[in-house]
Amino acid sequence: MAFFLDETDDCLWDYLRRTDKKVVLYGMGDGAEKIKAVLDDLAVPVADIMASDEFVRGHSFLGFRVKKLSEIEELYGDDFLILVCFGSQLPDVMEHIRNIAEKHELYAPNVPVVGEGLFTPDYAREHRGELQKVYDMLADEQSRLVFRNVIKYKLSGRLEFLTECETPGQEMYDLLKIGTEETYVDLGAYNGDTIVDFLNETGMHFRKIYAMEPDHRNYIKLKRRLYMIGSGLLEAYNCGAWDSETVMRFALRSGRSSRVDETDPVRAANPARYREVNMMSVDHMLRGDAATFIKYDVEGSEKQAIDGSRQTISAHRPKLSVALYHRNEDMFAIPLQIAGINKKYRFYLRHHPYIPDWDTNLYCI
């Protein structure tokens, strides 16, 4: 079965270089900074920055006074387009974005959460062979639809490609057939929210839970949230998932976004935003215990975390849930990596409701 990159598919970045419309960034924070940097490199001027009405309080961002949509409309009429620069899975926020898209030209540019470069047509063509291999590996038509549409989204920034292929997050449990005797490994456990989901799904029936969370504040919240689980049933570690036992420099960010710092350590930086964090492999943590279900959502360190699970994956073939959206190469590199460790897996791809594509996951059974 062939996967074809449509040569007529427009690239959002090329379109932005051609358009005469005013470019307005929607949102403040890391996403807006990244997209502004790409636009600067492409010599595409940013006309303004907007935010939802409740967040506009007369402050400035990147040298712009942040405006409401009504102010943007008054300034530019219909002669502008909007680039969404933040992510959300909140239904009311996503509905608000789609309502704006019904009135105005709107895109959500794809920039990698981690790593450099952009997922452009040239990048897709460069990796066409790997993309084709993964497409051929997918186990059902919904997976192939998600694969095609997510790539179309990455190229175009058009949200309808994501909407057309999304399915409820609950589908993970249906696909993986999570039972009541699972040994669950949660990598990137955050404050315990995904463990709580697991407990609700299994009715508190399980064999054991292992958890890793590198951010100390999140780790404390996790322990408090799950105080009712005895130490014999829950082993929680304040560390990051890696391919070996080492210490890494982490960039500390709000929420669940703390991650291995890839910048040159010589660069000037606010020391309060960085911390050395212990790293550990899954194989070392399990010490031969047979995991039955592993979740990988480790902010771009999925490759290393999977390498650190090689013995477990090879010997026990646990069910896997892997975030597939942090890096440009994730769509092809991670499935091929797992297939190289254990050829018996069946691969399913799903995108759950999120703007942009930040809840696109690989499920291996």
Side-chain angles (χ1 to χ4, degrees):
M1 188 175 297
F3 163 71
F4 294 103
L5 177 64
D6 189 343
E7 299 292 339
T8 66
D9 281 347
D10 198 9
C11 174
L12 175 61
W13 305 110
D14 291 339
Y15 171 68
L16 292 173
R17 282 188 288 194
R18 297 194 308 267
T19 185
D20 293 326
K21 287 190 172 185
K22 301 291 190 296
V23 174
V24 176
L25 304 187
Y26 177 18
M28 301 173 284
D30 183 59
E33 291 176 354
K34 283 186 175 183
I35 291 170
K36 175 70 161 53
V38 174
L39 296 175
D40 289 346
D41 288 343
L42 298 176
V44 175
V46 171
D48 252 311
I49 294 178
M50 60 172 271
S52 300
D53 289 0
E54 63 269 26
F55 295 109
V56 177
R57 300 185 179 93
H59 52 272
S60 297
F61 183 72
L62 298 180
F64 294 85
R65 181 179 69 82
V66 180
K67 298 179 176 65
K68 298 180 180 181
L69 176 58
S70 58
E71 295 179 90
I72 299 294
E73 292 170 332
E74 185 175 348
L75 275 173
Y76 304 122
D78 292 327
D79 189 29
F80 71 95
L81 59 83
I82 298 170
L83 303 182
V84 178
C85 301
F86 62 93
S88 181
Q89 62 184 156
L90 299 174
D92 58 335
V93 175
M94 293 191 291
E95 183 64 23
H96 181 62
I97 292 171
R98 290 177 178 127
N99 288 339
I100 294 175
E102 291 180 0
K103 296 174 56 181
H104 301 289
E105 189 175 357
L106 179 145
Y107 305 92
N110 176 258
V111 290
V113 178
V114 184
E116 303 296 328
L118 298 170
F119 200 108
T120 63
D122 284 344
Y123 182 86
R125 281 188 284 270
E126 178 184 352
H127 296 283
R128 183 167 185 155
E130 294 149 297
L131 291 167
Q132 181 66 58
K133 285 181 182 178
V134 173
Y135 188 77
D136 291 342
M137 286 162 42
L138 297 175
D140 66 353
E141 183 52 41
Q142 180 64 27
S143 298
R144 290 185 282 272
L145 173 65
V146 172
F147 190 88
R148 295 190 300 265
N149 275 33
V150 168
I151 289 177
K152 289 179 180 179
Y153 155 72
K154 287 178 179 292
L155 297 174
S156 69
R158 291 165 52 189
L159 292 177
E160 58 264 33
F161 287 123
L162 298 181
T163 305
E164 288 172 3
C165 69
E166 69 183 28
T167 53
Q170 176 65 27
E171 188 179 9
M172 177 186 77
Y173 294 105
D174 298 332
L175 277 173
L176 298 180
K177 295 180 172 58
I178 300 301
T180 59
E181 292 295 326
E182 304 287 354
T183 297
Y184 174 37
V185 177
D186 192 330
L187 307 179
Y190 185 40
N191 62 10
D193 58 344
T194 46
I195 294 178
V196 170
D197 289 343
F198 170 81
L199 295 174
N200 290 335
E201 178 66 22
T202 61
M204 292 287 291
H205 297 290
F206 61 94
R207 179 179 169 272
K208 189 161 184 176
I209 297 173
Y210 295 87
M212 292 190 197
E213 172 52 45
D215 186 285
H216 184 69
R217 291 166 297 181
N218 292 336
Y219 172 75
I220 295 300
K221 293 176 183 177
L222 181 155
K223 292 284 284 185
R224 288 174 179 167
R225 192 173 195 173
L226 301 173
Y227 72 92
M228 80 293 289
I229 302 178
S231 59
L233 296 177
L234 170 66
E235 287 190 24
Y237 296 88
N238 183 199
C239 68
W242 203 245
D243 56 12
S244 60
E245 288 59 65
T246 185
V247 175
M248 302 290 290
R249 185 169 181 255
F250 257 62
L252 302 177
R253 300 171 184 268
S254 60
R256 60 175 80 237
S257 299
S258 295
R259 57 177 176 258
V260 172
D261 176 39
E262 296 187 335
T263 62
D264 183 345
V266 176
R267 293 182 187 177
N270 178 358
R273 296 187 62 184
Y274 297 86
R275 182 175 297 161
E276 288 191 341
V277 173
N278 291 324
M279 310 294 284
M280 181 166 55
S281 71
V282 168
D283 289 336
H284 179 82
M285 177 181 66
L286 292 177
R287 301 180 298 276
D289 198 2
T292 63
F293 174 30
I294 306 177
K295 185 214 81 179
Y296 301 85
D297 189 353
V298 287
E299 300 302 320
S301 298
E302 281 77 14
K303 177 185 183 300
Q304 291 82 4
I306 292 167
D307 277 340
S309 314
R310 281 181 171 271
Q311 294 176 17
T312 301
I313 292 173
S314 178
H316 304 293
R317 205 182 88 190
K319 294 165 282 196
L320 308 179
S321 169
V322 190
L324 219 61
Y325 59 86
H326 291 112
R327 297 178 180 273
N328 285 331
E329 64 268 26
D330 285 351
M331 286 286 287
F332 56 86
I334 288 176
L336 293 175
Q337 178 188 8
I338 295 170
I341 299 172
N342 194 319
K343 300 183 184 303
K344 295 181 179 180
Y345 277 113
R346 287 173 291 127
F347 295 89
Y348 295 84
L349 192 62
R350 294 293 187 268
H351 172 71
H352 306 307
Y354 212 122
I355 293 175
D357 60 332
W358 291 355
D359 204 353
T360 301
N361 300 299
L362 178 71
Y363 299 121
C364 308
I365 305 171

